[in-house]
Amino acid sequence: MVMKATALAHPNIAFVKYWGFRDEHDRIPANGSISMNIGCLSTKTAVEYSQSFKEDRFVLNGEAVTGRGLFRVQQFLNRIRQMAQKAVFAYVESENNFPVGTGVASSASGFAALALAGTAALGLALSEDQLSSLARFGSGSACRSIPGGFVEWQTEARTGKSFAHSIAPANHWKLVDCIVVLSEDHKSVGSEDGMRTAGTSPLQQARVMDSERRLDLCRTAILTRDFDTLAKVTELDSNMMHAVMMTSEPPLFYWHPQSLEIMKAVKEWQKDGLEVTYTLDAGPNVHVIATQTDVGEVLVRLNQFPAVIDILKGVPAGPARLLSSGYQA
Amino acid sequence: MVMKATALAHPNIAFVKYWGFRDEHDRIPANGSISMNIGCLSTKTAVEYSQSFKEDRFVLNGEAVTGRGLFRVQQFLNRIRQMAQKAVFAYVESENNFPVGTGVASSASGFAALALAGTAALGLALSEDQLSSLARFGSGSACRSIPGGFVEWQTEARTGKSFAHSIAPANHWKLVDCIVVLSEDHKSVGSEDGMRTAGTSPLQQARVMDSERRLDLCRTAILTRDFDTLAKVTELDSNMMHAVMMTSEPPLFYWHPQSLEIMKAVKEWQKDGLEVTYTLDAGPNVHVIATQTDVGEVLVRLNQFPAVIDILKGVPAGPARLLSSGYQA
């Protein structure tokens, strides 16, 4: 009996962001979100189950993971094993093709790849909706790394189901995400912990209440390739999420002074006519997103900042996919 | 007939801030605010009315003011002349003892001094409440520079009256406001214009709705000299106001990268046990407020930032006061 599979998934960057739960246990987000998968960055994950394994093991970028990191993977595997009604330990080997400490969260691509490989290796053939729904239990935003291109995660509170679907394929709009790396430090408060405090901000409810409006603006901007509107809503949404973070108890400041410097520079470049915008996740690195036409000039300008350690570039990418599946009952 | 008077008033720094109107025409603020007057900084204003004057003139720091600056003063004088039922032109001479371009708004101290000198010179003897109510028509926060020490401006929407009153005298608590000057540029969007956009932020209503809670916390913290609570609510309120600014249409970013650097440093110094907090008005300069005990150490640390151009220091100050009054009917 062979139970192994390998899958690949991309991280994603959200234009309208997920921050806070409506229902933490069921991983229902407080508000919907829209993102695009980031090509050239990916996580490849191989999962093998065997009756001969004595325990779950998890190797990330060549190093055995223990403690909380292993626990999260085990909890996720338990969910898969329960679906398949199989009680076998697993060996999970995962690799990111982007350097550790770039501040790009690998949890989205990681749990998307694990959802796909982990189910395939047990002979489960889940639909995209089912895979996306599953992936969110590993890390909320992982559900958005299952479908391809431009992706929306709806809250679907009524049914208790919650998964993401593609609103436009990867080749719909050739945007480039320039990930400006300003710090290689491990962030002090991870997003999974940080967002538990979202409800302590007097501004979170207003952010959530206004989210349908932002989702509508963003979805339409993507479908019509309206960069100005996309820029406006992307920056507003990023500013709103960080506003909530900064007014939470305790306050969370993910921006570095240099992050603000680059945000302000982007606003100036817009006045020069460049199609460019910014957004920041729960970390100091700035995602500077530009059109193909203007990305060259944007990169020249970004490289003039002494604080910039590295710039990763990604275009919209396709869905999570199986690279190999060797399940034989 | 002699109609002249001279008055002095201090600027103030708000712990709970005023941003946005409930009623712009009547200058009723969207929410209440609490501030302290800043000693050592002051504006001295002399007003003389005369039947022989052919027009209103306004000289600020030795230079004749024209255009919008003069218009604001004239509009304010009209209000006073109407109260006194006198139709005479005025010569207004005003001086700030703090350098122009420190980013400290002189409109609060300026209109407080003008309200006092301008009414006294016409023989009007207004109560503190009446003066404060009048001063707000020049600049909202000017109403808080009329009473002494620690001051609260309530919204009083019911009666349509709106003025500030002292909640504790200047000698109640020896705090020191270290005004960290990071930029001497004239700000691109003044607070009077900026706050007209407050309602475009999806977060403004939540900020206003939560303001009574913050006012209660702040008032009690001042009355009981509870620095930790004062620090918490002061930073939260500053962050909330800037959150509204950054999410307005168009977004307003008053922080400089170096402002954020100092805010973050203050948070670190708190971990070292220092009694210190920060707040920012509609500009990049950081008001770093400390207790007498810790201000020495705070100043040593502030002086280590290369971006710091100057540091002005102020302790809580008394009310606006008449220096001379020569009204003779």
Side-chain angles (χ1 to χ4, degrees):
Chain A
M1 186 170 194
V2 180
M3 295 181 285
K4 57 196 290 186
T6 303
L8 179 144
H10 302 281
N12 64 73
I13 178 67
F15 303 107
V16 176
K17 294 181 189 295
Y18 152 56
W19 190 254
F21 303 105
R22 179 178 300 175
D23 178 334
E24 185 176 347
H25 178 263
D26 279 344
R27 286 256 171 194
I28 310 294
N31 61 288
S33 50
I34 294 179
S35 61
M36 82 178 194
N37 290 343
I38 308 172
C40 89
L41 306 192
S42 62
T43 299
K44 197 166 89 175
T45 300
V47 180
E48 180 174 4
Y49 299 94
S50 171
Q51 298 290 358
S52 69
F53 293 162
K54 296 280 185 291
E55 58 184 357
D56 289 321
R57 280 177 305 149
F58 173 35
V59 171
L60 176 62
N61 298 325
E63 284 187 35
V65 177
T66 57
R68 193 174 169 190
L70 175 62
F71 182 74
R72 264 177 90 179
V73 165
Q74 281 183 305
Q75 292 291 99
F76 193 72
L77 290 169
N78 289 345
R79 199 171 279 272
I80 295 175
R81 288 182 280 229
Q82 196 163 16
M83 290 171 92
Q85 293 288 310
K86 293 212 169 84
V88 279
F89 286 116
Y91 174 62
V92 176
E93 203 174 349
S94 192
E95 266 189 50
N96 305 318
N97 78 339
F98 46 98
V100 179
T102 55
V104 179
S106 59
S107 58
S109 50
F111 279 104
L114 182 59
L116 184 49
T119 53
L122 284 185
L124 294 168
L126 301 189
S127 70
E128 185 180 276
D129 292 356
Q130 289 172 315
L131 276 171
S132 175
S133 183
L134 169 64
R136 83 174 193 275
F137 288 97
S139 172
S141 55
C143 78
R144 293 193 313 245
S145 284
I146 294 287
F150 297 84
V151 171
E152 179 164 1
W153 177 15
Q154 287 169 319
T155 51
E156 312 260 12
R158 207 155 25 91
T159 60
K161 280 178 191 168
S162 185
F163 53 83
H165 66 281
S166 178
I167 57 174
N171 64 5
H172 168 72
W173 198 3
K174 290 203 189 331
L175 299 176
V176 186
D177 180 14
C178 307
I179 307 169
V180 182
V181 179
L182 295 169
S183 168
E184 299 183 329
D185 293 345
H186 202 76
K187 53 193 173 188
S188 51
V189 181
S191 47
E192 292 287 314
D193 288 335
M195 71 170 70
R196 290 209 173 85
T197 70
T200 65
S201 165
L203 304 179
Q204 165 72 350
Q205 207 189 338
R207 191 189 75 88
V208 170
M209 297 271 281
D210 182 66
S211 61
E212 287 297 330
R213 185 184 71 87
R214 299 195 305 283
L215 288 165
D216 288 346
L217 280 171
C218 182
R219 194 187 311 109
T220 305
I222 289 171
L223 295 178
T224 60
R225 299 185 193 86
D226 171 357
F227 193 87
D228 285 353
T229 303
L230 182 72
K232 209 172 255 187
V233 70
T234 297
E235 290 161 28
L236 172 63
D237 190 84
S238 176
N239 295 343
M240 282 176 85
M241 182 178 76
H242 287 272
V244 165
M245 292 164 164
M246 295 186 299
T247 55
S248 290
E249 173 58 36
L252 292 169
F253 277 79
Y254 285 107
W255 295 349
H256 282 197
Q258 295 81 11
S259 317
L260 184 54
E261 197 177 352
I262 288 177
M263 291 158 68
K264 285 178 167 252
V266 166
K267 296 306 289 174
E268 290 303 311
W269 301 345
Q270 288 173 344
K271 290 182 197 158
D272 299 339
L274 292 181
E275 287 191 321
V276 60
T277 185
Y278 69 79
T279 185
L280 288 92
D281 281 345
N285 299 330
V286 188
H287 291 255
V288 176
I289 298 169
T291 54
Q292 284 269 350
T293 315
D294 289 339
V295 69
E297 174 64 19
V298 166
L299 285 169
V300 167
R301 296 185 183 200
L302 283 172
N303 274 304
Q304 282 159 13
F305 288 87
V308 172
I309 297 171
D310 194 8
I311 304 177
L312 309 174
K313 290 158 282 281
V315 293
R321 64 185 196 272
L322 267 181
L323 299 180
S324 69
S325 179
Y327 178 76
Q328 290 173 354
Chain B
M1 186 171 193
V2 180
M3 295 181 284
K4 56 196 291 187
T6 303
L8 180 144
H10 302 282
N12 64 73
I13 177 67
F15 303 108
V16 175
K17 294 181 188 295
Y18 153 55
W19 190 253
F21 304 104
R22 179 179 299 175
D23 179 333
E24 185 175 346
H25 178 263
D26 279 343
R27 286 257 172 192
I28 309 295
N31 61 286
S33 51
I34 294 179
S35 61
M36 82 178 194
N37 290 342
I38 307 172
C40 90
L41 307 190
S42 62
T43 299
K44 196 167 88 174
T45 299
V47 181
E48 179 174 5
Y49 299 93
S50 170
Q51 298 289 359
S52 69
F53 293 161
K54 297 281 183 290
E55 57 184 356
D56 288 322
R57 281 177 304 150
F58 172 36
V59 170
L60 176 61
N61 298 324
E63 285 186 34
V65 177
T66 56
R68 194 174 168 191
L70 175 63
F71 182 74
R72 264 178 90 180
V73 166
Q74 282 183 304
Q75 292 291 100
F76 192 73
L77 290 169
N78 289 345
R79 199 172 278 273
I80 296 175
R81 289 183 278 230
Q82 194 164 18
M83 290 170 91
Q85 295 288 313
K86 296 213 167 84
V88 279
F89 286 114
Y91 174 60
V92 177
E93 203 174 351
S94 191
E95 265 190 52
N96 305 320
N97 77 340
F98 45 100
V100 178
T102 55
V104 178
S106 58
S107 59
S109 51
F111 279 104
L114 182 58
L116 185 48
T119 52
L122 285 186
L124 293 169
L126 302 189
S127 70
E128 184 180 276
D129 292 355
Q130 289 172 315
L131 277 171
S132 175
S133 183
L134 168 64
R136 82 174 193 276
F137 287 98
S139 172
S141 55
C143 78
R144 294 192 313 246
S145 283
I146 294 287
F150 298 84
V151 170
E152 179 164 1
W153 178 15
Q154 286 169 320
T155 51
E156 313 258 11
R158 207 158 24 92
T159 60
K161 281 178 190 170
S162 184
F163 53 83
H165 67 280
S166 178
I167 58 173
N171 65 3
H172 168 73
W173 198 3
K174 291 201 188 331
L175 299 176
V176 185
D177 181 12
C178 308
I179 307 169
V180 182
V181 179
L182 294 170
S183 168
E184 299 183 328
D185 293 346
H186 202 75
K187 53 191 172 190
S188 50
V189 181
S191 48
E192 292 288 315
D193 289 333
M195 71 171 68
R196 290 208 174 84
T197 70
T200 65
S201 165
L203 305 178
Q204 166 72 350
Q205 207 190 336
R207 191 189 75 87
V208 170
M209 296 272 280
D210 182 67
S211 62
E212 286 298 329
R213 186 184 70 87
R214 299 195 305 283
L215 289 165
D216 288 346
L217 279 171
C218 183
R219 194 186 310 109
T220 305
I222 289 170
L223 295 178
T224 61
R225 300 185 193 88
D226 171 357
F227 193 87
D228 285 354
T229 303
L230 181 72
K232 209 172 256 188
V233 71
T234 297
E235 290 161 27
L236 173 64
D237 190 84
S238 176
N239 295 343
M240 283 176 84
M241 181 178 76
H242 287 271
V244 165
M245 292 163 164
M246 295 186 297
T247 55
S248 290
E249 173 58 35
L252 292 168
F253 276 80
Y254 286 107
W255 294 349
H256 282 197
Q258 294 80 11
S259 317
L260 184 54
E261 197 177 352
I262 288 177
M263 292 157 69
K264 284 178 169 251
V266 166
K267 296 305 290 174
E268 290 304 310
W269 301 344
Q270 288 173 345
K271 290 182 196 158
D272 298 339
L274 292 181
E275 287 190 324
V276 60
T277 184
Y278 69 78
T279 185
L280 288 92
D281 281 345
N285 299 330
V286 188
H287 291 254
V288 175
I289 298 168
T291 54
Q292 285 270 351
T293 316
D294 289 339
V295 69
E297 174 64 19
V298 165
L299 285 169
V300 167
R301 296 186 184 200
L302 282 172
N303 274 304
Q304 281 159 14
F305 288 89
V308 172
I309 296 170
D310 194 7
I311 304 177
L312 308 174
K313 291 158 280 284
V315 293
R321 63 185 197 272
L322 267 181
L323 299 181
S324 68
S325 180
Y327 178 77
Q328 289 172 355

